[in-house]
């Protein structure tokens, strides 16, 4: 972490010392207007992410960040005191966090272990402080899904077909001839929408099927799978 520039008294101090300097306060201040919070954020694994503050108190003297819900000392990541022009790191500091002068926190090269709730405490004048929470979600980019069928050549009114989309994504949608599939009474989705069953098939079901998969950070489609329906 880089030390914020300042003409006087600056630099890293022991986190216990800074905690004592800015947090010998026992009065929690109820929010005057909107509740202090951390903006819940979605991030791609391996990328840098900035956790921002929502409804930051204008008179905040400093901020302290924690992993998890609650201001537990053993989960303290670090803090910054504006009036002291100093910052400190805590037991939960991994070397990838940086608390900025506006109170936000930069987390570098996030992993799925970083996902979860975070807590921020804002230290105010008159021996008061506010607490807020937010969640970080970390996702892997989705892989191109694989679409397989129990049979690609079927007979109308006699056969059924089961198509399965294999993916690591959160959400699955189905396409028919490059447009959103309109389900009929003969179609059934199961296994978190990853399996499509058509029973029985009809000639209007002939065409090209795809599954489109996504999570909050990415999306992609399978290769088209053709279904041939024979009829008399």
């Amino acid at each position: 972490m880089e030390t914020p520039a300042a003409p006087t008294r600056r630099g890293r101090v022991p986190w216990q010392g800074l905690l004592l300097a800015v947090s010998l306060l026992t009065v929690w201040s109820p929010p005057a207007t909107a509740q202090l919070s951390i903006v819940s954020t979605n991030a791609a694994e391996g990328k840098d992410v900035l956790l921002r503050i929502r409804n930051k108190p204008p008179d905040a003297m400093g901020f302290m960040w924690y992993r998890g819900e609650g201001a537990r000392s053993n989960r303290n990541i670090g803090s910054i005191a504006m009036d002291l022009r100093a910052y400190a790191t805590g037991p939960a500091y991994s070397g990838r966090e940086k608390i900025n002068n506006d109170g936000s926190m930069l987390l570098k090269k996030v992993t799925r272990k970083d996902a979860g709730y975070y807590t921020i405490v804002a230290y105010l004048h008159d021996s008061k402080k506010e607490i807020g929470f937010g969640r970080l979600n970390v996702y892997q980019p989705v892989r191109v899904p694989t679409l397989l069928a129990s049979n690609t050549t079927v007979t109308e009114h006699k056969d059924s077909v089961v198509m399965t989309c294999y993916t690591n994504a959160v959400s699955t949608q189905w396409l028919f001839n490059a447009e959103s599939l309109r389900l009929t009474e003969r179609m059934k989705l199961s296994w978190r929408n990853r399996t499509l069953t058509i029973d029985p098939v009809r000639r209007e079901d002939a065409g090209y099927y795809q599954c489109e998969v996504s999570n909050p950070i990415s999306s992609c489609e399978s290769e088209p799978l053709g279904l041939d329906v024979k009829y008399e």
Side-chain angles (χ1 to χ4, degrees), residues 51-66:
L51 298 180
R52 296 181 173 87
I53 304 172
R54 178 182 286 125
N55 303 320
K56 181 173 64 176
D59 59 342
M61 301 169 57
F63 297 94
M64 190 166 289
W65 282 81
Y66 299 83

Side-chain angles (χ1 to χ4, degrees), residues 100-112:
N100 300 313
N101 290 333
D102 63 357
S104 63
M105 185 175 72
L106 177 67
L107 182 55
K108 298 180 179 180
K109 296 182 178 179
V110 295
T111 71
R112 281 180 288 178

Side-chain angles (χ1 to χ4, degrees), residues 209-224:
Y209 291 80
Q210 291 173 277
C211 56
E212 181 181 38
V213 299
S214 64
N215 63 23
I217 63 163
S218 60
S219 64
C220 59
E221 299 174 356
S222 69
E223 291 293 327

